[in-house]
Amino acid sequence: MKKSGIHIARHACLYETEPAYVTDQPRFLNSAVRGVTKLGPHELLGVLKKIEKDLGRTDGIRYGPRPIDLDILFYGKFKISSEILTVPHERIWERPFVMAPMMDLIGSSIDSDTVARWHDLSVHSGGLFESWEKLGGESLIGKDGLKRVLLVGNRLWDWSERTFVMGILNLTPDSFSDRGKFQSVDAAVSQAHFMISEGADIIDLGAQSTRPMAPSVSAEEELDRLIPVLEAVLKMPEAEGKLLSVDTFYSEVASEGVSKGAHLINDVSGGQLDSKMHSVVARLQVPYVTMHMRGDPSTMQNSKNLQYDDVCKQVGSELYLRARDAEIAGIPAWRVIIDPGIGFSKNTEQNLDILMGLSTIRAEIARKSSGLSHAPLLIGP
Ligand SMILES: Nc1ncnc2c1ncn2[C@@H]1O[C@H](COP(=O)(O)OP(=O)(O)OP(=O)(O)O)[C@@H](O)[C@H]1O
Ligand SMILES: Nc1nc2c(c(=O)[nH]1)N=C(CO)CN2
């Protein structure tokens, strides 16, 4: 898209949807993006048609299977009606698979003239909110016809099915939870066996302790600790179908970890400790856990970083900014997992407030982006 002069600024979630119109065909993946372009509307249509063609779209049956279908839903504040282009797209209102991602792109409050205009252009007097509610709204999500999914490797993961468990495997000599017991590859592998037998869905490999005041470790040293264990765990037959994440704030470790087979990156710094992290993860095209922390592990518990007026609201708005930075660097919202960071820049009372206030955190994010507010949430000590 960028090469064609279309700069994507916002992404919706990714939806696996039941086929509409022609029902006897495989499921679709649907999403929506919001972007900026200097292309006029008809030029944009031409560019989208070319991208469709380059991705293998050929003339097939109307509403039948296709590798890609790019439609223009809105174009700024304009209403367009020509022989080859109608904007807003005529069938937005009848399609849950369009309305659901559309709603992700706008916040729960109308915060710009353009979005106000989109509401005005809706066929319902109550704007897009009413159109979405008329179709069924949020109650449609998670049912068979419309599921939010995360693309991991070549699998579609419906994280809303149940709670998934992440087992933490610390490969550090100075971890305070397991005191460096798993530094040898054999010991780490047997702990991974144990965690899987106990029901872990994700194994998180961390080669740097992030406890308060832990001495920092270089990317090289992290890689020396991580890679042999990562390779060994990936070879375990029981690890088949499980996800392996790498806990790091170094882009170099993220890049090497994914090239060796890790499925996702877990970054406690939310991209704040390595300026290349977001762009590297964007290129790797893997899910990215962005966590809330202020400062770094050596400063996160100082009194300034523990200062909150309303911890849930502030964690929500600061986490939104981290996810937003990631999105601007090219990590789409549909690959972001959010983590409020229990124990990171929080005291005991604040940790408890967060545990009780997860819906406030999501609501705070939703004020800016419904898409990001629906991201899967990772939580743990
Ligand atoms: N807003 C729009 N976005 C994309 N195409 C549009 C739009 N309005 C009109 N068209 C016209 O519709 C024609 C058919 O589009 P397309 O091949 O995407 O159809 P479809 O995928 O079968 O159906 P739909 O677009 O309803 O999902 C395009 O060649 C284009 O000229
Ligand atoms: N679920 C779903 N069904 C469809 C879709 C689509 O994008 N998603 N597109 C169609 C042709 O435009 C026909 N049917």
Side-chain angles (χ1 to χ4, degrees), residues 84 163 303:
I84 56 165
T163 297
S303 56

Side-chain angles (χ1 to χ4, degrees), residues 218-273:
S218 67
E220 292 69 34
E221 204 173 333
E222 258 191 63
L223 283 169
D224 286 347
R225 295 176 185 175
L226 174 77
I227 298 301
V229 177
L230 176 62
E231 290 180 329
V233 174
L234 280 167
K235 284 196 196 119
M236 288 168 40
E238 313 89 296
E240 177 76 39
K242 305 291 173 191
L243 296 176
L244 278 189
S245 74
V246 169
D247 175 349
T248 187
F249 46 73
Y250 289 127
S251 57
E252 204 181 323
V253 177
S255 180
E256 194 62 18
V258 171
S259 78
K260 298 287 185 215
H263 303 105
L264 62 146
I265 297 302
N266 177 17
D267 177 6
V268 296
S269 81
Q272 298 203 94
L273 298 179

Side-chain angles (χ1 to χ4, degrees), residues 95-107:
R95 296 176 164 179
F97 63 82
V98 174
M99 281 302 296
M102 263 288 310
M103 298 312 288
D104 288 342
L105 294 178
I106 55 178

Side-chain angles (χ1 to χ4, degrees), residues 21 45 48-49 52 57 61-64 66 69-73 82-91 95 97:
Y21 310 112
L45 179 67
L48 296 180
K49 295 262 150 233
E52 287 182 345
R57 171 107 185 242
I61 53 166
R62 178 106 173 117
Y63 297 143
R66 68 273 318 275
D69 180 19
L70 298 170
D71 291 339
I72 303 171
L73 302 178
S82 77
E83 227 165 70
I84 56 165
L85 184 61
T86 308
V87 176
H89 191 288
E90 278 179 308
R91 282 170 292 279
R95 296 176 164 179
F97 63 82

